[in-house]
Amino acid sequence: MNQQKTDLDPKDQILNISKNKPVGQYIFLSKIFLNKFGQLSLHALGDATINVISIAQALERKKYAKIIKIETQTYSPTEKSGGKKIKLIAQLDVTEEGKQLIKEELENRKKPQQDVQDINQ
């Protein structure tokens, strides 16, 4: 139960979205991706596509990012389950204001953890 929190270090700018996690969690993860890469590509299949739209709109409305492109594709699973799914991809770029907002927000999230560590030492 004593798990150490580690910083998320994404390897590329693609964030796969599912319908099982709350949109707010993906908005926070998106900020981490935008901070590291300056760009973000949100990918979702089927029912999760509505979450991509919600996340992209929220980031643009709060001036963190600008929606550059939204595209749809038809995805055919390799399994023999048949059927095709809609794949939605939204590409975003961080705004100048967004860079500053994200940097401040991520720094503020780290401060309380550092204070607790200082007390324990």
Side-chain angles (χ1 to χ4, degrees):
M1 282 246 187
N2 189 9
Q3 294 179 351
Q4 195 77 342
K5 286 190 176 185
T6 59
D7 289 341
L8 178 65
D9 186 24
K11 303 297 179 215
D12 59 22
Q13 61 202 33
I14 297 172
L15 178 56
N16 292 310
I17 307 298
S18 79
K19 63 180 183 175
N20 299 329
K21 292 183 182 175
V23 170
Q25 185 174 355
Y26 284 118
I27 290 172
F28 176 72
L29 290 172
S30 296
K31 292 174 190 176
I32 293 172
F33 279 68
L34 287 168
N35 186 51
K36 181 171 182 180
F37 299 110
Q39 297 179 331
L40 172 63
S41 186
L42 300 169
H43 291 224
L45 293 173
D47 294 339
T49 57
I50 190 71
N51 288 350
V52 167
I53 299 303
S54 298
I55 295 162
Q57 284 180 331
L59 291 169
E60 186 168 66
R61 185 175 51 252
K62 295 179 181 180
K63 299 184 174 40
Y64 288 108
K66 175 91 174 135
I67 299 171
I68 302 302
K69 183 179 179 184
I70 295 178
E71 67 179 270
T72 58
Q73 299 175 352
T74 304
Y75 175 75
S76 300
T78 55
E79 303 167 7
K80 294 185 179 182
S81 61
K84 294 181 179 181
K85 292 185 177 186
I86 297 297
K87 181 174 184 175
L88 184 72
I89 302 169
Q91 295 177 350
L92 296 93
D93 281 346
V94 70
T95 62
E96 286 302 317
E97 185 179 357
K99 286 179 188 178
Q100 189 62 32
L101 290 170
I102 292 168
K103 184 178 177 183
E104 290 172 8
E105 186 175 327
L106 293 177
E107 285 175 1
N108 288 338
R109 288 185 69 89
K110 289 184 179 184
K111 283 182 183 177
Q113 292 176 356
Q114 290 174 345
D115 293 343
V116 170
Q117 289 175 354
D118 293 341
I119 293 170
N120 291 335
Q121 290 180 355

